[in-house]
Amino acid sequence: MSAQCAMCKAVVEGGNETIAEGVNNGITYLMIFPYLLVGVLFYFIYRHKKKGKA
């Protein structure tokens, strides 16, 4: 797993399975917010453009 940072790799290798699951859940949690923000931005742009046509 060369894609992980040194600290994440050390925690996962030195810990048990629950620690690895926690790290993976944390990464997933942090990845959700940029996608939500981009989705909300596109929604408001779409709504604004649709409002201008009517």
Side-chain angles (χ1 to χ4, degrees), residues 37-54:
L37 289 174
V38 170
V40 168
L41 177 70
F42 279 121
Y43 170 74
F44 282 116
I45 290 172
Y46 170 75
R47 198 172 80 174
H48 179 72
K49 295 245 184 210
K50 191 173 180 182
K51 189 184 217 182
K53 286 184 179 180

Side-chain angles (χ1 to χ4, degrees), residues 3-53:
Q4 294 177 340
C5 68
M7 292 294 293
C8 297
K9 187 175 180 180
V11 168
V12 171
E13 286 179 351
N16 55 12
E17 190 174 322
T18 58
I19 292 175
E21 288 177 7
V23 171
N24 287 338
N25 289 340
I27 291 169
T28 303
Y29 178 75
L30 290 173
M31 283 179 56
I32 288 172
F33 289 105
Y35 288 106
L36 284 176
L37 289 174
V38 170
V40 168
L41 177 70
F42 279 121
Y43 170 74
F44 282 116
I45 290 172
Y46 170 75
R47 198 172 80 174
H48 179 72
K49 295 245 184 210
K50 191 173 180 182
K51 189 184 217 182
K53 286 184 179 180

